[in-house]
Amino acid sequence: MQTSRRFFELPREVKRRYAEKDGAGAGYREIGAQTFEADKPEDLRESFDLHLDTPDSVYPEAEVPELMPLTRQFTDRCKELALRVLYLIAVGLKLEDRCFFDKNHFEMESKSFTGIRLLYYPEIKNPSDVKDKQTRCGEHSDWGSITLLFQDDVGGLEIKNVEGKFVEATPVEGTVLVNIADLLQRWTSDRLISAIHRVVRTSRETDSGFPRQSIAFFLNPDNKAVVSPLDGSHKYQSITAEEYIRHKIQTTYI
């Protein structure tokens, strides 16, 4: 995460050179670019999204040249791990075709929204700058199949449990947090539930003055994959992964 932090610590005008453009879905987003809760202010975080087919020009090669090779190597490892997790889920669900999920994540290199997001929650030096009800990241679920989350030791991530209460997802060194996302919930007719989560400020962050960092790998189905309940029920209407995710993008980015 030290490499991604080097990018986020660059001057604002430099980071803006790599801003997401024309709905491409890749690039830098500054504070205020996204909100998950319509009745609350924008999220207090920055992000840098990189898809598997992101062109070299999006990377800040002049300022942080090692970012491109490191993130591409990291993404390759994440792909392997995520597909192994999906295979085990297929086994657990007793799917006749154990490779069902593999077949629906076959074109992730160029025809899906699969990718990583570098996340940075900068130090808030003046608490009075925080608006009423404003959080680090509002309550939401992820949109695709599964998410692999790598977080630092600052904390702040909270997950809603089955009782509807938010509990802290305490960072554990050397572990990867796996979130079920929306489209996998639709595929499994709610046997697997998409994780509702949020990020709040913690006393450790406030006391230490350290920023919070994390990296999320979003594994999304191929754009053309049709997601419908695998049990043959009509609990959810069939929809392509691209239709679902584009709708989510349109409703959360400012």
Side-chain angles (χ1 to χ4, degrees), residues 42-173:
E42 64 277 5
D43 295 339
L44 286 169
R45 63 172 186 166
E46 301 174 49
S47 64
F48 196 99
D49 284 24
L50 297 164
H51 292 166
L52 301 187
D53 61 345
T54 295
D56 293 355
S57 60
V58 174
Y59 290 87
E61 292 193 78
E63 296 83 6
V64 192
E66 63 270 36
L67 185 65
M68 182 167 65
L70 285 176
T71 53
R72 287 182 171 175
Q73 180 183 24
F74 177 75
T75 301
D76 286 341
R77 298 291 300 274
C78 286
K79 286 190 311 186
E80 295 175 9
L81 176 58
L83 289 174
R84 287 175 61 190
V85 171
L86 281 185
Y87 178 80
L88 293 175
I89 288 174
V91 172
L93 293 171
K94 296 181 171 58
L95 297 186
E96 184 176 340
D97 182 0
R98 300 291 173 84
C99 296
F100 172 83
F101 294 122
D102 277 7
K103 294 174 181 177
N104 283 279
H105 297 79
F106 184 72
E107 298 181 311
M108 70 174 79
E109 298 288 348
S110 60
K111 297 179 180 179
S112 86
F113 287 93
T114 293
I116 66 170
R117 176 173 294 161
L118 311 177
L119 289 153
Y120 186 74
Y121 304 80
E123 176 189 359
I124 298 174
K125 297 181 179 179
N126 187 356
S128 64
D129 291 337
V130 180
K131 302 174 184 177
D132 183 43
K133 297 183 179 180
Q134 193 171 29
T135 64
R136 285 301 204 177
C137 183
E139 179 179 335
H140 69 286
S141 60
D142 295 334
W143 306 334
S145 298
I146 61 173
T147 302
L148 306 181
L149 182 69
F150 305 79
Q151 53 181 335
D152 64 12
D153 60 357
V154 173
L157 176 66
E158 295 183 340
I159 309 289
K160 183 178 285 188
N161 64 18
V162 294
E163 297 173 348
K165 298 179 181 179
F166 278 100
V167 295
E168 184 177 357
T170 305
V172 179
E173 186 177 357

Side-chain angles (χ1 to χ4, degrees), residues 194-244:
S194 187
I196 304 294
H197 53 287
R198 67 185 183 186
V199 179
V200 300
R201 295 182 69 197
T202 65
S203 58
R204 179 172 184 182
E205 175 192 349
T206 305
D207 295 341
S208 68
F210 290 142
R212 179 183 187 272
Q213 288 183 263
S214 63
I215 300 175
F217 175 80
F218 300 105
L219 181 67
N220 295 310
D222 298 337
N223 286 342
K224 67 181 182 181
V226 177
V227 180
S228 56
L230 290 170
D231 61 5
S233 71
H234 299 285
K235 190 156 195 174
Y236 292 103
Q237 183 177 357
S238 296
I239 191 170
T240 67
E242 182 174 20
E243 288 174 322
Y244 185 84

